[in-house]
Amino acid sequence: MEKKDQKKPALAVQNLTKHFSGVLAIDNLSLSITQGAITSIVGPNGSGKTTLINTLSGIFKPEQGTITVQGRTVPPLHPHDVWHHGITRTFQNTRLFEQMTVLDNVLVVLTKRSVIPSLLETKDDTHYDQAKQVLAATNLWEKRDQLAANLSYGQRKLLEIARSLATDADIYLFDEPFAGLFPKMVTVVFTILRSLKQEGKTVVLVEHDMDLIRKISDHVIVLDSGTLLAQGSPEQVLSEKSVVEAYLGQ
Amino acid sequence: MDVVFQIVANSIIAGSLYTLIASGFTLTYSTTKFFNITHGVMTAVGAYTVFFLGKILGMPLLLAIIVGVLFAGLLGWVLNYFIYQPLRKKNASQLSLLVASLGAFTAIQACISLAFSSQFQTISHTAVMQKTFSIVGASVTQIQLIIVASALISFVSLTFFLKKTRFGTAIRAVSDDEEVAKVIGINTDKVIGIAFFIASALAGLAGILIGFDSAIEPTMGLALLMKGVTASIVGGLTSIFGAVVGSFLVSFVENFGIFYTAGEWRDAIVFTLLIIFLMFRPNGIIRT
Ligand SMILES: Nc1ncnc2c1ncn2[C@@H]1O[C@H](COP(=O)(O)OP(=O)(O)O)[C@@H](O)[C@H]1O
Ligand SMILES: [Mg+2]
C-alpha cells in the first residue's frame, strides 16, 4: 500500500450519517478505500457495515455527508448511477433474478445499455464468451440452464458474484460473500478476490472470519455502532485492544 | 352439436381478444407491480383513432390501423413518462398510482365521448372482411380469423422477444427485482417505458379488431379491462403464456356460462371467476 500512496482513494466518505427511525446506523463516519487493494470491513452485528455498502451503492440516501468516487465528489447516488461510476456489489441476502436462468442472470448484465439497439439484439458471441468465463470461474457453467431460484444457497452466492464480475466494474463491494459457504466454495471466492486484485480492481469486503481477513486483506476497517473504531493493516488492527473488546463485548 | 362448435369458436375468438389485452396488462404489471387501469381505455383509443382517420378523414384503412396501433402505444408511453414514472420516483403508494390511472382512464374516456359522442358507432363506412366461413359447423367471419391470427402472432413474437432478445431479458430482470436491475446498470425507466408502449399498442389493436368485428363506444374499455385483468390474474401476472391460458379460460367459461344461463350474466360470470381465483388461487394457475 505504501507504493500506492500517491493514488487517490477509490472510494471515500466524509461525515456520513444515516438513521433508521431512531437507530443511528452510520454516525458521522469518514473513511477511505485504497485503490487496487482488498479492504475488509469488520465489526459486530448491527455496526453499520451493510448500511455503509447500501449507501455506497445508492440503495439508501445518506442524510448527511459526501461520497467521493475516484477522487471526485458525486451527487447523492441513485441505484442506477452506481454502474456508471464503475461500482458493483453483492447483497448480504442474495438477490438474484429468480425466474431467469443462471446464464441469463449474467447475460443481462452484458446487455447493451442503450435500449433501442438492444430491442432486437438476440445473441452475441462475445457476450456469450464473457458469460461463460465468469460462470466457469464460479463453477456454475454446468448449471447455466437452471433457474436461479433452484440453486443451492452457496451456488446463489456464487452466481451473484459472477453477475457482479460480468459488470466489469472497477470497485467491487461484497457483503459477506463467504458467509455460510462450504470450504470448497470459500476457496473459489478467495481465488476470485485475489485475481480481482491482480487485475488492479478495488475490493471492499464485509467479513467476520478473522483467519480469512488476515489472509486476504490489505487493509482492515473496524466499525462499531456506525463509527470508525480502527483501521490499518490486518496484523495491526486485529491485535488492537479496542477491537478485541468490541468483539468480546458482543 | 353444431351449437357447441359455435360456442367453442366464439370462445376462441373472445379468448384471442383477451390475449391481446391480458398480455399487455401482464407485461406492465410485472415490470411496475402497479394496477394500470388506463390499459383498458387504450382499446377505445386505438378504435377511435381508426374511426377518425379512416371513417372521418378517409385515410386508407390499413394505414389508419397502423397509426391507431402506434398512437395507442405512444399514449401509453406518454402516460407512463409524465404520470406514473414521476409518481414511482416519489415512492408514491400503489393506491396513489391506482387512483392516478383511474383518473387518466376517466379523462381519456371523457375526451373520446366529447369528440365522437357516446353513441355506438361502426368503425368504417362499409362492412370490412365480413365474409363468412363455415368451419366444422361453426360460422366465422374473415375478421374473426384475423383476430385469432393476431393473437397468435402477438403471443409468438412477444414470447420470442422476452426470451430471446437482450431487451426481453432486461424486461424480465426488471420484473424480478427492479432495484437490482438498476444497480447492475439497466436503464429501468426506458425498459418500463417500452413495456408500456408495447402493452398499449396491443390493447389498441384489440380495440380496433373489436371495432371491425362489432361496434365501438367510448366506454368499451371497462368491460375489456375487467376481462383482461381477470385473465391476467388467472394466468399468474408473471408470464405471457399465463396470460394466454387465463384469457382462454375466461372466454370459455364466459361463453359456455351464458349458453347455460343468459347473455346478461356475461360480466357476472367473469367476475365470479375472478373472485374464485382471488380467494383460492391468488397466484394463478400457472405459478406453482
Ligand atoms: N432497512 C433498514 N431499516 C431499518 N433499520 C435498519 C435497516 N438496515 C439497517 N438497519 C439498522 O441499522 C443498524 C446497522 O445495520 P447493518 O448496517 O445491517 O449492520 P451490519 O451489516 O454491520 O450487521 C442496525 O441497528 C439495523 O437494525
Ligand atoms: Mg450486514
Side-chain angles (χ1 to χ4, degrees), chain A residues 18-21 23-26 41-54 59-60 92 175-176 206 208 223 225-226:
Chain A
K18 175 75 192 169
H19 278 91
F20 293 103
S21 51
V23 180
L24 193 52
I26 301 275
I41 301 182
V42 302
N45 269 328
S47 56
K49 305 181 294 295
T50 298
T51 306
L52 177 62
I53 303 266
N54 279 336
I59 305 281
F60 296 150
Q92 184 174 350
D175 199 349
E176 307 205 11
V206 175
H208 288 293
L223 295 186
S225 311

Side-chain angles (χ1 to χ4, degrees), chain B residues 97-157:
Chain B
L97 280 157
L98 183 82
V99 171
S101 77
L102 181 62
F105 179 102
T106 318
I108 293 169
Q109 190 167 288
C111 289
I112 296 175
S113 295
L114 280 173
F116 304 106
S117 93
S118 34
Q119 304 286 309
F120 265 111
Q121 311 263 14
T122 56
I123 203 168
S124 66
H125 288 297
T126 51
V128 182
M129 294 174 288
Q130 294 297 337
K131 195 166 159 243
T132 306
F133 302 92
S134 177
I135 301 173
V136 285
S139 75
V140 182
T141 63
Q142 244 172 328
I143 185 71
Q144 290 172 336
L145 290 177
I146 290 175
I147 289 174
V148 177
S150 306
L152 195 66
I153 292 168
S154 73
F155 167 63
V156 171
S157 43

Side-chain angles (χ1 to χ4, degrees), chain A residues 51-246:
Chain A
T51 306
L52 177 62
I53 303 266
N54 279 336
T55 348
L56 290 174
S57 58
I59 305 281
F60 296 150
K61 240 182 253 161
E63 287 119 49
Q64 215 194 79
T66 53
I67 298 176
T68 314
V69 184
Q70 317 280 18
R72 278 186 308 131
T73 301
V74 295
L77 289 171
H78 294 285
H80 56 259
D81 299 326
V82 166
W83 176 80
H84 292 281
H85 288 301
I87 301 173
T88 190
R89 67 165 297 178
T90 64
F91 292 82
Q92 184 174 350
N93 299 312
T94 312
R95 283 169 77 172
L96 298 170
F97 301 119
E98 306 287 343
Q99 297 306 314
M100 288 169 33
T101 63
V102 168
L103 181 61
D104 278 347
N105 262 274
V106 173
L107 277 179
V108 69
V109 177
L110 304 167
T111 303
K112 276 208 188 342
R113 292 317 199 282
S114 43
V115 170
I116 304 300
S118 81
L119 274 176
L120 293 171
E121 181 191 16
T122 52
K123 199 180 126 204
D124 181 323
D125 284 342
T126 57
H127 290 159
Y128 199 75
D129 289 344
Q130 280 171 281
K132 183 170 178 175
Q133 199 188 329
V134 296
L135 286 175
T138 46
N139 289 343
L140 288 169
W141 181 241
E142 267 71 57
K143 304 267 176 198
R144 62 187 175 279
D145 293 325
Q146 283 198 21
L147 283 189
N150 296 337
L151 295 181
S152 72
Y153 172 85
Q155 289 166 341
R156 294 170 57 79
K157 286 209 103 105
L158 286 172
L159 177 56
E160 209 189 22
I161 292 171
R163 186 177 67 190
S164 70
L165 294 179
T167 62
D168 196 30
D170 300 316
I171 302 168
Y172 294 77
L173 312 174
F174 293 129
D175 199 349
E176 307 205 11
F178 294 105
L181 292 189
F182 291 120
K184 229 176 97 185
M185 288 177 167
V186 169
T187 316
V188 172
V189 177
F190 198 90
T191 313
I192 290 173
L193 298 189
R194 275 274 163 82
S195 51
L196 280 173
K197 187 188 159 184
Q198 263 162 23
E199 291 166 32
K201 311 282 194 181
T202 304
V203 177
V204 177
L205 173 71
V206 175
E207 183 45 45
H208 288 293
D209 185 322
M210 292 304 155
D211 285 337
L212 267 173
I213 291 169
R214 268 196 197 91
K215 268 193 260 169
I216 203 163
S217 331
D218 300 305
H219 296 276
V220 177
I221 288 175
V222 189
L223 295 186
D224 188 29
S225 311
T227 59
L228 182 67
L229 186 64
Q231 63 175 330
S233 71
E235 311 82 58
Q236 185 192 337
V237 167
L238 297 179
S239 57
E240 226 169 87
K241 199 160 165 262
S242 57
V243 174
V244 179
E245 273 167 6

Side-chain angles (χ1 to χ4, degrees), chain B residues 18 223 226-227 230 250 253-255 257-258 261-276:
Chain B
Y18 301 163
M226 206 190 93
K227 282 161 193 173
T230 305
V250 167
V253 168
E254 178 188 3
N255 282 286
I258 57 172
T261 57
E264 288 76 22
W265 290 97
R266 189 181 282 278
D267 291 347
I269 290 166
V270 175
F271 201 59
T272 309
L273 186 70
L274 176 65
I275 301 285
I276 291 173

